[in-house]
Amino acid sequence: MGAVHGEFRALGSKSIAQRALVLASLAQGETRIAGLPAGDDVRAARGLLRAVGIEVRELAPAAVSVRGAPPGPHRGWRSAAPL
């Protein structure tokens, strides 16, 4: 299967932002997400991804880069401590 490239623009919703962050964390490679709304829920979602070993880089106040870790044997999300 080849790589998927494209652009998707959605309204600034914290529900959509949280789903986009989780999906990006499960995809292979880098996903850039811009237009993230401010708020505790979205901030907590970014913190959760970091807690399970996902690289989340801040690109701008409302933009991040997520380096995904697709699920599979010996890969995917992992946590060093209880979440």
Side-chain angles (χ1 to χ4, degrees):
M1 178 184 283
V4 176
H5 298 278
E7 191 171 304
F8 173 74
R9 293 182 189 263
L11 296 175
S13 154
K14 45 182 201 179
S15 295
I16 291 174
Q18 292 169 330
R19 288 177 176 97
L21 288 164
V22 169
L23 290 173
S25 76
L26 297 171
Q28 184 160 340
E30 177 187 20
T31 302
R32 292 180 180 205
I33 304 171
L36 292 172
D40 292 339
D41 293 349
V42 176
R43 202 171 11 264
R46 289 191 306 235
L48 171 68
L49 297 185
R50 289 184 177 110
V52 296
I54 302 299
E55 178 187 340
V56 180
R57 290 186 305 121
E58 306 295 325
L59 301 175
V64 296
S65 168
V66 178
R67 173 77 47 199
H74 312 292
R75 61 182 182 170
W77 286 17
R78 62 193 181 291
S79 174
L83 300 174

